[in-house]
Amino acid sequence: MSLKDQPAFQTVQAPDAYPRTTSASVRYVPIVKDGTVIGYLWAATTDDAAQYVPREQAGDAAFDAAVAWTQRLRWAKANGITPLQALRHWAGEIEDARAGEVPTGAPFELPSLGMLVELAAAE
């Protein structure tokens, strides 16, 4: 292998995660950092999938938060928390430096994950 070769990375073990896609409608909450919505945390209404969607226009903070939310969702899955429970688990907690915060209040709902992705890209 020379310095010009691209290294091949292989995941040996990763914690279980919720499925990241769904054909069901989704409930979602905004993720706020420094007073700006940086993305959305969603869960399928069928309670089988969850993920974080960054807002492109929120910049690096939105994409950096994706790492924190991936870790948080893996923790939730490992601790037997359903996706819909995970959606509200962090509501009202103090803002995390990386993940931001989930404001208190009822989640919103959209008929599809695609609509939420469009919302995140359009704002």
Side-chain angles (χ1 to χ4, degrees), residues 3 9 22 29 37 68 72-73 83 91:
L3 292 176
F9 295 101
T22 184
V29 292
V37 175
R72 284 180 169 201
L73 289 171

Side-chain angles (χ1 to χ4, degrees), residues 40-96:
Y40 301 99
L41 184 64
W42 64 266
T45 56
T46 56
D47 208 25
D48 64 350
Q51 191 54 264
Y52 165 83
V53 176
R55 274 190 61 236
E56 292 180 28
Q57 293 187 5
D60 291 342
F63 294 99
D64 191 38
V67 175
W69 283 107
T70 296
Q71 291 172 337
R72 284 180 169 201
L73 289 171
R74 285 182 173 167
W75 173 88
K77 171 100 172 153
N79 284 282
I81 298 171
T82 68
L84 288 171
Q85 290 170 335
L87 189 65
R88 302 303 307 152
H89 182 77
W90 292 276
E93 288 191 11
I94 296 172
E95 183 173 312
D96 179 80

Side-chain angles (χ1 to χ4, degrees), residues 26 40 42 53-54 56 110 112-122:
V26 295
Y40 301 99
W42 64 266
V53 176
E56 292 180 28
L110 284 170
S112 72
L113 177 56
M115 293 178 80
L116 181 59
V117 171
E118 288 176 15
L119 174 68

